Amino acid sequence: MSPPTSGPAVAGPSFPGDPVTGELASSAPGPFGPGAEGGRRGQGRLGDRLFGGAALGSGLTVVLLVTLIGVFLVSQALPALARNQANFFTSTEWVVSGDSPRFGIARLLWVTVLSSLMALAIAVPLGMAVALFLTQYAPRWLARPAAGAVDLLAAVPSIVFGLWGLRVLGPLTGGTQDFLRDHLGFIPLFSAGSVSSTTTIFLAGIVLAIMILPIITALSRDVFNQTPTTHKEAALALGATRWEMIRTAVLPFGKPGVISASMLGLGRALGETVAVMMLVSSLPAGSAWSWSLFGGGETFASKIALGAGEFDTPEKTGAYIAAGLVLFVLTFIVNAIARVVIERRKAFTE
Amino acid sequence: MKITQSACIAAVAALGAVALAGCGSDNNTTSSTSSTSGTTSSAGSSSSSGSDTGTAAADCPSGTLNAEGSSAQKNAFEEVVAAYNEKCPDLTVNYNPSGSGTGVKQFNAGLVDFAGSDSALKTEEKDGVIEVDAAKKRCGSDAWNLPMVVGPISVAYNLPGVDKVVLTPALLSGIFQGEITTWNDAKIAAANPGVTLPGTAIKPFFRSDESGTTDNFTKYLKAAGGDAWKADPGKVWTGKGEGKEKSSGVADAVKSTEGGVTYVEWSYAKDNGLSMAQIDNGSGAVELTADSVGKFIAAAQADGQGNDLRLKLDYATKEAGAYPIGLVTYEIVCSKNSDAAKQAAIKSFLGFFAQGDTQKSLEDLGYAPLPADLQTKVAAAVAALS
């Protein structure tokens, strides 16, 4: 969304005298202009109104939908939250049936955020690198098929990623995990966990990174492709090497796009369910708190999916929906932050 | 131009609507008449077909039965439905394995014809409902719990080179509560004279979803192990270990982890080629076989009145040769039903289910047949449905 808006914004002021832009600008109002003939004008207005109405309707539907989802989540969660005997935000317990339910989201929140951030930490640099290679370095005969291959990755169902992570990647990364644990174990993030190395948050982070890589790559590629050739040529003409050209022309131009791509990827990572459920071992009730990447647990989405088979009372369902509500709010906050960052960046580039 | 065009479209649309409405009402009337004639004449047609093709068709009702409940009996149920439909193709039996609790709820609400449940209808109040009373109200008669499917739970482990391990309830409690942490622990060795156990760390796996298997396994540990198992039994795991999703998840984890051990339905242990521990309840080690589980079920006390065949499983049984970890899935039915056609269909299907041959055929799927004694009782109870 942001690339097209920011594109002309950058290009516009730099080349005010560009004859092509000028001609386009003057001819653009033509069909809708006041000079048009009567009958065509009426049709144009009708079409205009229809399209405007349809667009408005679609926009409102989305807003309404999100609002209704929010209302649904809150209304279902409130009765359960009212009965909750533990602190919803700091407790790690999850006892949702019986007369005195005790549940909290601390562990879910940590596992969700940790696995998603790790995925982002891997996927954003990698995705940008792939996109830069495809747009700036790769010969044309390679760029097309390679881009297609990356896009194909997005079409793999998450359960396949889960199986692959469990059977192939888990055993492969066991050594790396042991190495990190042995040498960096003094950092809480890398301390020893209580689950076997084929089923850790670390592993889930890697698999999530691969899952969000296509989104980040595809969007970054589109943005980098839109870097005005004149910018790039100007940089090269000033004696920049190819890397310097990328650093001074392509990256600043693409930054907002890369950020929104990352946020889309983060959204997917936060909400990923099946793969995480298959990969990460659950911890038994009453486990000690651990900051470690090598621990187990559930994310919001995988917890809800695990419990979904036994939603037998409204109160119990409500507890899970309360967890879902937190995920909803979390995603909302992440997107809001992304918006703010993008707006700021735009202000700088303009 | 524009106006005439749109008017034309409107006219066509209107015509279409009228035509469709016409078709719709036609269909409605025909279908409603045919359905009423169907229900009124169903008795007649079935009796006429009975005279046509003899006895086989006489106990072959047509129609649809909807059942819902325990996922433990899903595979058995589907197998039986397939076998039944070879004999009687006109009766459709649907089963929704949504869980025992849901099944009972749906049954009591009158939404399904019978329920499958891993526990008999409860006689005490839970969430403001006494299930037995609710079922009675729904049926207008007593509801019967008919034990139908026996699902043994195995203790599966992965120790290359060790084919035989004997475990007692106390050892199992110790292992699944994280107190015994290596396979060559002195306590395990004491129960396994002559077996060379490696020093591999024990990695217990549990079901991370709520599960009837967990419920039954912890019930067993609590009943047979005395004070060894500390938490209360329930569907949510309260011991130690690593949680995996569903039976397939725990079986898979044990298969790929040396030193792993878990509790899982027999079929999953068999299908994954896992070694299964023998259980010693105090009267010698017992291997998991259809016979040994049958002995355990046969040793259970009848807990109901007359044809209500609810069982009280004795997990701590000292009966020689009885494998004590397993669950029984009941079909919960109305003993009397005002809808005679429906009841005849239920009777026919469950009668087939309770047959010795049908029960025997379930063994390949990892279920144990009902012991002969109980099987006769169930068949009699089904015959007494009216």
Side-chain angles (χ1 to χ4, degrees), chain A residues 111-137:
Chain A
V111 176
T112 308
V113 169
L114 187 61
S115 59
S116 301
L117 286 184
M118 180 174 163
L120 219 54
I122 298 173
V124 171
L126 194 60
M128 277 176 70
V130 172
L132 283 177
F133 170 75
L134 291 177
T135 56
Q136 313 297 329
Y137 287 91

Side-chain angles (χ1 to χ4, degrees), chain B residues 2 24 55 58 70 78 109 137 148 167 186 216-217 231 255 276 278 282 287 321 323 342 366 369 386:
Chain B
K2 190 78 197 165
T55 49
S70 160
E78 283 168 359
K137 199 171 153 204
M148 198 59 86
L167 295 172
N216 271 277
F217 184 64
K255 197 178 179 183
M276 288 170 259
Q278 302 186 10
E287 200 183 337
Y323 182 90
K342 202 61 124 185
S386 59

Side-chain angles (χ1 to χ4, degrees), chain A:
Chain A
M1 275 168 276
S2 54
T5 47
S6 66
V10 177
S14 327
F15 309 97
D18 189 290
V20 181
T21 340
E23 194 179 87
L24 266 174
S26 65
S27 68
F32 311 105
E37 161 244 338
R40 282 190 62 86
R41 197 170 95 189
Q43 202 175 10
R45 282 203 176 151
L46 178 66
D48 240 16
R49 244 180 288 148
L50 277 179
F51 182 75
L56 179 71
S58 313
L60 286 181
T61 311
V62 171
V63 173
L64 189 71
L65 213 59
V66 172
T67 317
L68 284 179
I69 291 175
V71 169
F72 165 78
L73 289 173
V74 170
S75 68
Q76 297 279 305
L78 278 181
L81 288 175
R83 284 160 44 99
N84 189 6
Q85 307 286 314
N87 186 316
F88 182 63
F89 292 104
T90 57
S91 169
T92 58
E93 288 175 280
W94 195 266
V95 181
V96 290
S97 39
D99 290 331
S100 53
R102 301 180 61 79
F103 56 91
I105 52 149
R107 186 72 199 160
L108 302 180
L109 185 65
W110 176 245
V111 176
T112 308
V113 169
L114 187 61
S115 59
S116 301
L117 286 184
M118 180 174 163
L120 219 54
I122 298 173
V124 171
L126 194 60
M128 277 176 70
V130 172
L132 283 177
F133 170 75
L134 291 177
T135 56
Q136 313 297 329
Y137 287 91
R140 183 162 294 188
W141 60 266
L142 180 62
R144 280 274 177 82
V150 174
D151 290 348
L152 210 60
L153 214 53
V156 178
S158 56
I159 192 157
V160 174
F161 277 114
L163 277 173
W164 173 76
L166 203 59
R167 296 278 158 84
V168 182
L169 196 64
L172 281 180
T173 56
T176 317
Q177 297 188 45
D178 291 343
F179 178 84
L180 286 173
R181 186 168 40 211
D182 293 347
H183 292 85
L184 297 172
F186 56 90
I187 308 171
L189 202 57
F190 295 106
S191 57
S194 60
V195 298
S196 39
S197 59
T198 53
T199 55
T200 53
I201 302 170
F202 182 87
L203 180 67
I206 298 178
V207 173
L208 285 176
I210 298 169
M211 293 174 77
I212 63 175
L213 190 62
I215 300 179
I216 294 175
T217 307
L219 289 178
S220 308
R221 201 181 64 216
D222 284 350
V223 192
F224 292 154
N225 253 337
Q226 283 176 9
T227 317
T229 323
T230 41
H231 284 201
K232 296 203 280 185
E233 280 170 356
L236 292 172
L238 287 171
T241 62
R242 191 178 268 191
W243 160 238
E244 283 165 342
M245 179 270 286
I246 289 172
R247 213 184 54 200
T248 52
V250 179
L251 288 184
F253 180 83
K255 227 164 220 167
V258 172
I259 293 172
S260 47
S262 312
M263 290 306 134
L264 273 179
L266 182 59
R268 174 155 190 212
L270 287 172
E272 177 48 42
T273 309
V274 176
V276 176
M277 182 161 74
M278 291 178 75
L279 286 173
V280 187
S281 283
S282 302
L283 298 177
S287 299
W289 178 268
S290 142
W291 297 101
S292 175
L293 269 171
F294 304 119
E298 290 110 352
T299 63
F300 286 112
S302 74
K303 184 83 188 176
I304 296 170
L306 272 176
E310 299 279 344
F311 283 176
D312 41 17
T313 60
E315 289 78 21
K316 198 167 165 184
T317 315
Y320 284 94
I321 287 181
L325 179 65
V326 178
L327 180 60
F328 185 75
V329 173
L330 182 69
T331 319
F332 194 79
I333 293 172
V334 163
N335 283 326
I337 292 174
R339 280 281 123 215
V340 170
V341 173
I342 291 166
E343 293 303 320
R344 280 250 185 100
R345 290 282 174 193
K346 238 195 251 169
F348 281 129
T349 44
E350 266 166 14

Side-chain angles (χ1 to χ4, degrees), chain B residues 108-129:
Chain B
N108 286 348
L111 298 173
V112 291
D113 301 316
F114 64 96
S117 172
D118 295 341
S119 50
L121 291 174
K122 291 186 180 66
T123 47
E124 68 270 20
E125 185 179 314
K126 194 203 167 204
D127 296 328
V129 184

Side-chain angles (χ1 to χ4, degrees), chain B:
Chain B
M1 183 58 190
K2 190 78 197 165
I3 291 161
T4 48
Q5 217 174 356
S6 51
C8 186
I9 292 171
V12 169
L15 270 173
V18 170
L20 282 175
C23 297
S25 58
D26 274 2
N27 275 352
N28 284 345
T29 43
T30 45
S31 70
S32 62
T33 45
S34 74
S35 70
T36 44
S37 70
T39 42
T40 46
S41 70
S42 68
S45 70
S46 70
S47 64
S48 69
S49 69
S51 60
D52 279 340
T53 47
T55 49
D59 33 271
C60 267
S62 59
T64 305
L65 283 182
N66 291 312
E68 182 164 349
S70 160
S71 54
Q73 68 160 344
K74 173 176 165 273
N75 292 342
F77 202 99
E78 283 168 359
E79 172 82 4
V80 171
V81 169
Y84 180 80
N85 280 346
E86 269 175 34
K87 195 177 77 129
C88 295
D90 291 339
L91 182 68
T92 312
V93 186
N94 300 317
Y95 188 67
N96 180 4
S98 56
S100 299
T102 316
V104 169
K105 230 191 230 170
Q106 302 283 79
F107 174 74
N108 286 348
L111 298 173
V112 291
D113 301 316
F114 64 96
S117 172
D118 295 341
S119 50
L121 291 174
K122 291 186 180 66
T123 47
E124 68 270 20
E125 185 179 314
K126 194 203 167 204
D127 296 328
V129 184
I130 303 173
E131 286 176 356
V132 169
D133 293 350
K136 201 168 178 174
K137 199 171 153 204
R138 182 258 197 216
C139 292
S141 62
D142 283 332
W144 288 348
N145 302 282
L146 304 176
M148 198 59 86
V149 179
V150 178
I153 299 169
S154 67
V155 176
Y157 65 92
N158 178 350
L159 276 183
V162 181
D163 331 315
K164 186 187 164 217
V165 170
V166 179
L167 295 172
T168 63
L171 286 175
L172 284 171
S173 299
I175 287 172
F176 283 100
Q177 284 178 142
E179 290 150 6
I180 301 176
T181 52
T182 53
W183 280 103
N184 61 359
D185 189 284
K187 287 180 200 153
I188 302 183
N192 291 276
V195 180
T196 328
L197 291 161
T200 321
I202 299 181
K203 286 185 179 150
F205 291 96
F206 65 88
R207 289 279 295 270
S208 53
D209 50 330
E210 288 187 31
S211 147
T213 315
T214 305
D215 191 25
N216 271 277
F217 184 64
T218 46
K219 266 183 192 159
Y220 163 74
L221 291 177
K222 189 80 186 171
D227 300 332
W229 186 256
K230 290 177 187 84
D232 283 330
K235 285 179 165 186
V236 180
W237 181 247
T238 40
K240 294 276 175 273
E242 276 183 50
K244 287 288 169 191
E245 179 216 357
K246 303 245 155 76
S247 300
S248 52
V250 284
D252 215 53
V254 170
K255 197 178 179 183
S256 59
T257 313
E258 201 176 319
V261 60
T262 192
Y263 55 96
V264 68
E265 286 97 318
W266 194 17
S267 55
Y268 286 90
K270 278 210 278 197
D271 292 349
N272 284 288
L274 302 174
S275 318
M276 288 170 259
Q278 302 186 10
I279 304 297
D280 184 353
N281 246 12
S283 48
V286 182
E287 200 183 337
L288 170 49
T289 63
D291 278 348
S292 60
V293 177
K295 277 186 187 150
F296 165 59
I297 302 296
Q301 280 172 353
D303 199 23
Q305 309 264 311
N307 281 324
D308 180 16
L309 295 172
R310 59 172 71 219
L311 298 171
K312 198 171 180 188
L313 295 175
D314 180 14
Y315 292 109
T317 183
K318 296 269 195 293
E319 176 105 6
Y323 182 90
I325 323 176
L327 61 108
V328 170
T329 306
Y330 299 90
E331 312 303 337
I332 295 168
V333 293
C334 293
S335 58
K336 290 191 176 65
N337 195 332
S338 48
D339 187 345
K342 202 61 124 185
Q343 194 72 342
I346 293 175
K347 220 168 145 171
S348 165
F349 175 71
L350 291 184
F352 180 78
F353 210 147
Q355 274 174 16
D357 294 348
T358 316
Q359 289 286 327
K360 190 85 192 147
S361 71
L362 299 179
E363 209 180 308
D364 292 338
L365 298 173
Y367 298 94
L370 287 172
D373 216 30
L374 187 60
Q375 187 247 320
T376 327
K377 277 190 203 160
V378 173
V382 172
L385 291 173
S386 59

